[in-house]
Amino acid sequence: MADFYPVNKLESGLSPRASAINAQYFFPEDNMRSLPESALNQLRDHVLLMGGEVENAIDRATRALIERDSELAEAVLRDDDRVDALELEADQICVRLLSMHSSEARDLRLVVTAIKITPILERIADHACNIARAAIYLNDEPQLKPYFDLPKMSWLACEMLRLSLDAFAASDANAARAVIERDDEIDRLYDRIFHDLLDRMSRDAAAAGRAARLLLVAKHLERIGDYVTDICELIVYMAEALVIKHSQIAR
C-alpha cells in the first residue's frame, strides 16, 4: 500500500507529516472505468443544493438577529430538518456510487469529497441554528447597539461558502485556494468584535449578558469560516489529488 501514498518532499525541510501529500496514486487508474456521468452530476447537484440551503440559513439567522425578527429565527430552526435529510440522501448516493467497482480515480475522489463535505455543511447549518437561537433570546431584550461588525462578518461567511460551492461545481482548485485565503479576513473581524464587546462589557455591566450572546454569535461565524476552509481543502484534493490540510506551504 505504501506505493500508493508518495510524499512530496518540500524544499523547506518540513517533515513528511507536515508536507502536502501527492495523492495522485491513491486509486490506481489501470483497468478502471468511469462512473456514470448522470450519477456524478446527481451527487454534485445534491451537494450544491445542500450548500445553498446552508448558506440561506446563515443569512436568515443573521437577519433575524439584526432585524429582531424572531419568526424568521424560528423558521431557520424548523428548516434545519431539510439540511439533515439532504445529508442522509447524499450519503445514500455516495454508497451507491462506491458500490460500482473499478471506477476511475478522479470519480472516486469526487465521491470521497462529497462524503466529507456533506457532514461539514450539516455542522455549518447547526451553527446557523445557534445564531437563530441567540436572535430569539436577544430579540426579547433591549437592543444592544451597535451590532459592531457582525453583519459584515455574516456576509463574508456566506460569500466564502457560496464561492466554495462554485469551486466545487467547477472542480476549481485555484478558486478554492482563493477562498482559503479569505479566512484571515473573518479572523480579523472576529478579533475586532471580541475586543469591542469585551470593552462594552467592562463599561456597562447591565449589557454584559447581551454582549456575551453577541460574542457567541461572532464565534459561530468564525467557526463557519473554518469549516469553509476545510471544504476548500477537500476541493483541492478532488481537483488535483493533492492533500493540503495542515500544510500552509502547500497553499
Side-chain angles (χ1 to χ4, degrees), residues 199-219:
D199 179 66
R200 179 64 182 269
M201 285 188 277
S202 68
R203 291 185 294 102
D204 184 1
R210 286 167 287 157
R213 292 273 181 165
L214 288 177
L215 188 56
L216 288 175
V217 169
K219 187 60 181 177

Side-chain angles (χ1 to χ4, degrees), residues 61 64-65 70 73 77 127-141 210 212-214 216-217 220:
L65 173 65
S70 294
L77 297 177
H127 282 286
C129 286
N130 287 332
I131 293 172
R133 292 186 184 98
I136 292 170
Y137 171 84
L138 287 167
N139 291 349
D140 289 333
E141 298 289 324
R210 286 167 287 157
R213 292 273 181 165
L214 288 177
L216 288 175
V217 169
H220 288 308

Side-chain angles (χ1 to χ4, degrees), residues 6-79:
V7 176
N8 282 342
K9 299 203 175 191
L10 302 178
E11 290 180 336
S12 65
L14 288 176
S15 67
R17 193 172 213 154
S19 306
I21 300 173
N22 185 337
Q24 63 181 328
Y25 300 119
F26 270 23
F27 304 107
E29 306 221 17
D30 293 342
N31 302 317
M32 287 190 167
R33 60 183 173 79
S34 298
L35 289 170
E37 191 63 29
S38 60
L40 293 172
N41 286 337
Q42 181 191 16
L43 175 60
R44 191 178 290 110
D45 291 345
H46 208 84
V47 173
L48 294 174
L49 176 62
M50 185 177 178
E53 289 283 346
V54 173
E55 180 186 347
N56 190 38
I58 301 168
D59 176 65
R60 289 190 301 156
T62 308
R63 282 196 290 114
L65 173 65
I66 303 302
E67 299 171 10
R68 299 177 67 79
D69 187 341
S70 294
E71 289 186 6
L72 182 59
E74 294 282 3
V76 173
L77 297 177
R78 288 195 304 271
D79 291 345

Side-chain angles (χ1 to χ4, degrees), residues 64-68 138-139 142-152 193 197 214:
L65 173 65
I66 303 302
E67 299 171 10
R68 299 177 67 79
L138 287 167
N139 291 349
Q143 187 170 8
L144 185 65
K145 290 185 178 181
Y147 280 115
F148 304 94
D149 286 314
L150 283 174
K152 183 176 181 180
I193 290 170
L197 286 171
L214 288 177

Side-chain angles (χ1 to χ4, degrees), residues 177-217:
R177 285 187 171 92
V179 175
I180 291 172
E181 295 299 323
R182 300 191 69 179
D183 186 50
D184 289 341
E185 297 178 47
I186 279 203
D187 291 341
R188 284 194 294 270
L189 285 171
Y190 173 74
D191 288 342
R192 193 156 66 208
I193 290 170
F194 179 84
H195 289 104
D196 287 346
L197 286 171
L198 283 185
D199 179 66
R200 179 64 182 269
M201 285 188 277
S202 68
R203 291 185 294 102
D204 184 1
R210 286 167 287 157
R213 292 273 181 165
L214 288 177
L215 188 56
L216 288 175
V217 169

